[in-house]
Every structure is written in C-alpha cells, then in structure tokens.
Amino acid sequence: MYAFDIERPSSIKDAVAALQSEGAQALGGGQTLIPTLKARLAAPEVLISLTGISEMQGVCLSDEGALCIGAGTTHATVAREAAVHFPGLAALASHIGDPAVRNRGTIGGSLANNDPAACYPAAALGTGATIITDKRKIAADDYFQGMFTTALDEGEIITEVRFPIPEKSHYMKFVQPASRFALVGVFVAKYADGVRVAVTGASEEGVFRWHDAETALADDFNARSLDGLSVAADGMIGDLHGSPEYRAHLVKVMTGRAVTAA
Amino acid sequence: MASVTMQVNGKSVSKDVEGRTLLVDFLRNDLRLTGTHVGCDTSQCGACVVHVNGQSVKACAMFAIEADGAEVATIEGQANADGSLNVIQQAFQDHHGLQCGFCTPGMVMTAAALLKENPKPSEAEVRSYLEGNICRCTGYHNIVKAIMAASGQDVAAIAAE
C-alpha cells in the first residue's frame, strides 16, 4: 500500500479539526475503505480513525423513544444491543458481511459510504431516520443523494443515527451469492401513521422509497396489497448478476416477503 | 512512524510501525508470527482472522496502529500450555478438517470465536458463521464436522461425504 499517516483522535472535536487538513479522510471500521485503498481507488494523505472516540459508541433509547446509535458502533454491537427495542434493525445488522466484518464495520461508515448495495441505507430511509453529524441533523429523505453520494460536506462526520422505532418491521435481502451484498434488499416499517418501504441494491440512483407500495400497505399491511403493483425496470441496475427486469421483479417479491415476515 | 504496544498471545510487544502497516503484516513481518495467513488480501477469504480484544477480525482489513493497547490472539497462541493441540485444533485433525491447510488458521480462529459466543451451535449455525472463511479446497464438510465435534456434539450422524 502507498504511504499515508493515521491519526487516532479521542473526541469528535479533535476528529473534526484533524479532518480540516488537506487530503484527510475519515476512517470508520475500514471494511470498505481499506480494500479501496489497496486497490488505489482512493489515496488520502492522512486517515483520521474514528474508532477511538468513545462518545460515538453505543446504543440507547432517547426520551422520545427513538433508538440512538453512535456512528462508531459496530454491526455486531447493533445486532446484540438493538435486539430488544428494534428487532428488525438488529436482524439487518446481524446479516451484514460476515462475523469478522461485523466486528469492525460501523453504521456511520456504511451510511457515509452509501454503497448502492449496502443494507443500512435501506433501514435509515425505511424508518425516516435522522443522521446526526458534527454540525447538523439531516433527515434520511434528504441524506441519500445517489450511488456513493450523500448530503455530507467535505470533512463532516456522522456522529449518531436516530431511528424512530416502528410497530413492525423487517428487512428482506436477496444476496448476491459471491459478494453477499444485497442484489435487492427491502426494508419495510409499519408505524401508527403509515408505512415506509426502502429498497437497496436495485437502483442506479442508490437506495430509494417505493411510494406506491407504501400507500397500498398503509391501507392494508398485507403482501396481497402489492398484487396490482409493479416496479419499472427503467433505472434499475443491470449487470452479470441480474438484468434490470430481474431486479425490478425482485423488489416486489422481497417487499411482499418482508411484509409477511414483519 | 508511530509506536504501538499490544498484547499478542499474552505477551507485551512494542514496535514502531508506519500508518499503512496492516495488522496482519505487523504480525507476520514484525513479529514473525507467520501462522496468520494472507489469502485474498481483500477481506473476503478469512485466512487472516485473528482475535482483537476477544473478537474475530480480518487482520488484513485493520491497521496495526488501531490495535494499539489491544489484546491480540493468533493461531500461535491456541495450543494448550503443554504444547498439545487445543480441542478445536485436535478436532480438525481427528475429522480431517483440513486439506492444504492454508485456510486453517483462520478457520480455527473463527471457530473459537463461534464457540465462545454459541457453545453448542447447530450445523446451520456453523455454516452461517463460516460465511467469511473460504476454503479453496472446498473441504467445508469436514471443517463443519470438526467444529461440531469440538463443541462436544455427536457428529456420527453427519455423513462423511
């Protein structure tokens, strides 16, 4: 690997200050970034490791009943500690990557990277979560702006994610068998005032909400409600793993399964 | 260069490392603990799995600096105090859980993490937990059998296919 420096600040304030320097890049658990550096797809001069910041760790409930997760919290910790309050999210976290990856990879890293086939973006958008950074709060609906693109400014870091806890939820993932990333993943969440459906893996625009399904499911939260709906293949990813038509079909199938399992 | 200090298999070590030094390179090149293997170097194959503070991690996807102050366990520290194979290692030998042996250090470390978390896993749970460990000889069947046996379960019913 090429030469670079690593700094390990112990507070958000110090991390933000360190990220002001030219060529600096935040490092979460590194499960995507380190392979990216090896492949020379990114070449920052200095990495600011966020793993030593204790104020960015852990899972708790807010006074308003939302599940708050520190951005530096690993998938394995979310899988364990969110299980009681938000089993749909815990189950999603427990199926990201593999056990060793889950012990390093973080929720903040996943959301900052916004891989079009990552799982967490579906949960954040599918719950209407709030992404909290060192300087502001961003609604999930405003946060995701296309493949690998987010509302984050240069040097801005996610410090916490707040999830409104649904009455029922489920994440259904159809894995690409080699990479285990989602070929299509659908997060369905039912709240007292409506239903949200978010889809990852499928679209060339990254994670998106399937509004027609949300409306149909709000009337009757049953997979049958999707019968008359279809998803357009236009804008879906087409590659050697599946055509746009195949992915569009999977979106409906996975949504129905998620509703049934919720 | 920065100085790192960690406990590796119970022994304290301190060295100067570059920022880019991966934990696996630190273990292999600086400490000469070459039991931890580098297979794919893209964090997919799991040959480099070690434990950091008791949790399995892929040592090719973590910088040595990030293990500063941590307790690291590698395959070299797995044998019993008298040098005999531990229960997982012995089960791999008894059930022919290795062919070329390249993936074995990672398999054993992952199995150790699994059995600590879940002392009596089902066969499906073992297979699921091994998702990030690839055996290029495709010898999974006996690896799964060995891990089940190491957990003290009867593996006679698992056919030797």
Side-chain angles (χ1 to χ4, degrees):
Chain A
M1 224 177 320
Y2 73 96
F4 49 78
D5 291 325
I6 301 184
E7 290 181 25
R8 298 192 79 213
S10 57
S11 71
I12 293 170
K13 190 168 153 277
D14 290 349
V16 170
L19 279 164
Q20 300 311 309
S21 68
E22 185 75 23
Q25 157 82 45
L27 169 69
Q31 300 306 284
T32 300
L33 183 55
I34 294 174
T36 304
L37 297 176
K38 290 179 186 177
R40 299 283 205 280
L41 295 170
E45 288 158 35
V46 53
L47 293 177
I48 312 301
S49 168
L50 306 178
T51 52
I53 303 176
S54 56
E55 58 188 315
M56 277 172 61
Q57 296 286 337
V59 177
C60 68
L61 280 182
S62 74
D63 293 342
E64 296 79 39
L67 190 75
C68 305
I69 303 182
T73 310
T74 63
H75 311 323
T77 300
V78 174
R80 254 192 331 268
E81 297 186 6
V84 174
H85 301 296
F86 191 169
L89 185 71
L92 175 148
S94 74
H95 289 95
I96 296 172
D98 59 57
V101 166
R102 292 195 286 274
N103 284 333
R104 290 293 300 166
T106 66
I107 186 169
S110 171
L111 293 174
N113 188 45
N114 191 20
D115 187 299
C119 298
Y120 268 129
L125 190 61
T127 56
T130 303
I131 317 294
I132 300 173
T133 76
D134 56 286
K135 51 185 182 189
R136 57 186 169 144
K137 297 176 178 178
I138 311 172
D141 284 315
D142 302 323
Y143 176 81
F144 299 102
Q145 301 187 346
M147 268 190 195
F148 300 109
T149 309
T150 70
L152 292 177
D153 292 332
E154 199 71 32
E156 184 176 12
I157 51 176
I158 303 174
T159 56
E160 181 185 326
V161 188
R162 256 177 228 177
F163 293 91
I165 299 176
E167 292 170 3
K168 287 182 180 183
S169 68
H170 196 80
Y171 176 64
M172 194 57 83
K173 170 164 71 166
F174 191 96
V175 295
Q176 198 272 85
S179 73
R180 309 282 180 175
F181 268 90
L183 195 62
V184 169
V186 180
F187 195 94
V188 172
K190 181 181 184 299
Y191 291 91
D193 60 352
V195 173
R196 289 177 71 108
V197 177
V199 181
T200 188
S203 170
E204 289 178 344
E205 301 298 315
V207 66
F208 69 96
R209 283 171 70 185
W210 186 15
H211 293 285
D212 290 350
E214 292 180 354
T215 308
L217 291 166
D219 289 339
D220 180 11
F221 193 73
N222 188 304
R224 282 192 314 267
S225 304
L226 305 170
D227 283 351
L229 304 182
S230 62
V231 179
D234 197 32
M236 293 289 161
I237 297 168
D239 56 23
L240 79 166
H241 308 297
S243 64
E245 291 75 16
Y246 182 63
R247 280 188 168 82
H249 177 73
L250 275 181
V251 170
K252 182 172 169 177
V253 173
M254 290 295 117
T255 304
R257 289 184 187 174
V259 170
T260 302
Chain B
M1 300 286 269
S3 169
V4 295
T5 300
M6 61 185 92
Q7 295 276 327
V8 178
N9 298 327
K11 213 173 106 189
S12 181
V13 294
S14 287
K15 296 256 182 198
D16 286 338
V17 296
E18 289 185 290
R20 63 178 163 177
T21 303
L22 295 165
L23 178 59
V24 72
D25 292 329
F26 178 73
L27 294 170
R28 291 179 55 86
N29 301 340
D30 292 292
L31 303 185
R32 307 305 294 168
L33 294 173
T34 53
T36 301
H37 291 166
V38 180
C40 66
D41 201 23
T42 54
S43 63
Q44 297 177 61
C45 81
C48 66
V49 168
V50 299
H51 297 181
V52 175
N53 293 329
Q55 296 189 312
S56 61
V57 302
K58 291 182 169 173
C60 83
M62 177 173 180
F63 294 111
I65 282 176
E66 293 184 291
D68 188 35
E71 284 182 26
V72 176
T74 73
I75 190 69
E76 285 88 350
Q78 294 299 295
N80 297 322
D82 65 0
S84 61
L85 298 180
N86 79 4
V87 66
I88 298 171
Q89 293 170 311
Q90 188 61 52
F92 269 69
Q93 186 176 73
D94 293 346
H95 296 277
H96 195 47
L98 62 156
Q99 290 177 45
C100 83
F102 194 87
C103 73
T104 310
M107 289 287 180
V108 169
M109 296 308 290
T110 297
L114 167 64
L115 296 183
K116 201 175 74 172
E117 227 173 81
N118 181 359
K120 293 270 185 258
S122 67
E123 185 181 335
E125 285 170 337
V126 174
R127 288 185 185 277
S128 165
Y129 206 88
L130 292 179
E131 191 168 334
N133 290 78
I134 295 173
C135 167
R136 211 56 295 166
C137 309
T138 71
Y140 297 103
H141 196 80
N142 285 349
I143 291 169
V144 173
K145 198 172 172 180
I147 296 171
M148 298 287 286
S151 73
Q153 302 184 77
D154 181 8
V155 293
I158 301 176
E161 285 167 9

